[in-house]
Amino acid sequence: DYQLAGGVSAIPVAQFKANPPPHLFDKTAPSAPASLMASVMTSTTNLSWSASTDNVAVTGYKIYRNGAEIGTSTETSFSTFSNLVEGVSYNYTVRAYDAAGNLSASSSTATVTKKKK
């Protein structure tokens, strides 16, 4: 305890400065997902790929069909009800991201075509 003017007691309080999370300084993008595979079932497209790596941690993957984002996954697979048109080709790619929002380059493209009945 410390005595202040007027007889008031004071107890010193420790000051702590929190270290910011490491991802706030992360400027390195994850590696691109590899070995993207796609298959079409009756009304579902199933995708799988090899995991990306990162200097801190990969937190997920963004999935694209014909350049438009269609979903995300925290796993190395993704299934979507695709309602694909018979005879039309669709191109899928995947990009990894980390907690800082850094995006990898795109995976190679996996192309699927729903067969005509």
Side-chain angles (χ1 to χ4, degrees), residues 35-39 47-48 64 90-93 107-112:
S35 306
L36 178 62
M37 303 291 289
S39 62
L47 304 170
S48 63
Y64 300 85
Y90 297 87
N91 297 313
Y92 291 89
T93 56
S107 66
S108 58
T109 301
T111 302
V112 297

Side-chain angles (χ1 to χ4, degrees), residues 1-5 7-13:
D1 288 6
Y2 294 99
Q3 280 297 338
L4 301 176
V8 176
S9 293
I11 299 172
V13 177

Side-chain angles (χ1 to χ4, degrees), residues 15-21:
Q15 291 183 338
F16 296 96
K17 290 186 178 180
N19 290 328

Side-chain angles (χ1 to χ4, degrees), residues 3-86:
Q3 280 297 338
L4 301 176
V8 176
S9 293
I11 299 172
V13 177
Q15 291 183 338
F16 296 96
K17 290 186 178 180
N19 290 328
H23 74 270
L24 293 180
F25 300 108
D26 183 7
K27 303 290 185 214
T28 304
S31 64
S35 306
L36 178 62
M37 303 291 289
S39 62
V40 178
M41 304 309 277
T42 304
S43 61
T44 305
T45 301
N46 299 309
L47 304 170
S48 63
W49 56 90
S50 298
S52 297
T53 59
D54 187 57
N55 65 321
V56 176
V58 173
T59 54
Y61 299 90
K62 293 184 179 216
I63 295 85
Y64 300 85
R65 180 175 54 225
N66 295 340
E69 185 178 335
I70 60 166
T72 61
S73 177
T74 57
E75 305 295 324
T76 56
S77 61
F78 182 80
S79 293
T80 179
F81 292 104
S82 50
N83 296 322
L84 303 179
V85 177
E86 291 179 355

